[in-house]
Amino acid sequence: MGKERGSPAAIAEEVGERLKQARLNANLTQIEVANLSGVSRKVVMGAEKGKVQLEYLVAIMMALNLADNIDKFLPKQDISPLQLAKLQAKKRQRASGKKTIEKEVLPKW
């Protein structure tokens, strides 16, 4: 995909082309990938055109033994020290002490 930024549609199309090439390199037909991933052939065709739901994309990647590449594609994000400090600031530090509870006024019937 390079350093230049394309439109989301162009990037999705490129991902689809790479998915298709991975399938061809594995010497699998679209039907075989569909059966392995538990989706329809139409979904595989759409994925190869860059039009696929995320869950189906992951299933197809798993069928092609590409699931390990997800970590390369989108590595796990650690929480930044600033975010951690903000979250810690929101934690309750101490109790406010005993509050006096007023007796409820019950209606006399």
Side-chain angles (χ1 to χ4, degrees), residues 21-56:
Q21 191 59 52
R23 176 182 61 78
L24 294 172
N25 289 345
N27 198 28
L28 294 171
T29 66
Q30 290 178 336
I31 293 172
E32 290 170 326
V33 171
N35 290 335
L36 288 170
S37 61
V39 300
S40 69
R41 179 175 176 262
K42 186 175 180 179
V43 169
V44 175
M45 288 173 40
E48 291 182 356
K49 293 178 182 176
K51 299 184 184 308
V52 65
Q53 290 182 18
L54 182 60
E55 185 176 349
Y56 296 148

